[in-house]
Amino acid sequence: MCLGCNESKPKRELIRIVRSPEGEFSIDATSKKPGRGAYICPKAECLAAARKSRGLERSFKSVVDTKDYDELEMQLANLAKTEEWNMATVDERITNL
C-alpha cells in the first residue's frame, strides 16, 4: 500500500523507501537494500502526501527530518528521469513474474 495515496497496488508498481541500520533514508529501486522499508507510488505527489500525513514517521517509528524528505524528493526525481520506473518497464516487470 502506498503511504501517500493509500491505494493498494502490486509491490512491483511501488517504490521502496528504506531506512538503513545507520538511520539514513533512501529510495531503494532494487528492493534489495538492507533495512526497514516503506512503499510509495513513483509520483512526487505521493511523497508529498506521505510527508504531510507523516506516513513515513509512523512506518519507521522515528523522526524523518526535512533534509531527509528533500533528499528523497531529489532521488525520486532522478529515478523518474531514468527508464527504470517508466510505466512500460513496470508493465514488463509485472508480465515477467
Side-chain angles (χ1 to χ4, degrees):
M1 184 193 304
C2 173
L3 289 177
C5 64
N6 293 319
E7 288 184 28
S8 292
K9 295 183 179 186
K11 199 175 193 180
R12 301 271 184 204
E13 292 181 22
L14 299 171
I15 293 177
R16 183 173 184 245
I17 296 176
V18 66
R19 180 175 179 243
S20 71
E22 294 81 27
E24 297 174 2
F25 294 92
S26 65
I27 289 182
D28 180 13
T30 63
S31 295
K32 295 184 180 189
K33 288 183 180 179
R36 184 167 178 85
Y39 292 87
I40 62 164
C41 294
K43 301 179 208 169
E45 300 86 35
C46 286
L47 181 59
R51 184 179 196 167
K52 185 176 180 181
S53 69
R54 304 180 76 73
L56 290 177
E57 282 88 347
R58 283 193 311 274
S59 182
F60 292 117
K61 296 179 180 127
S62 68
V63 176
V64 181
D65 293 333
T66 303
K67 67 179 179 76
D68 293 325
Y69 275 112
D70 294 340
E71 180 65 29
L72 289 171
E73 286 174 5
M74 283 193 328
Q75 290 177 20
L76 185 61
N78 289 336
L79 188 63
K81 291 178 186 176
T82 67
E83 291 185 357
E84 196 164 337
W85 277 100
N86 70 27
M87 287 314 290
T89 305
V90 170
D91 290 340
E92 183 179 308
R93 287 182 183 177
I94 292 169
T95 57
N96 289 333
L97 289 177

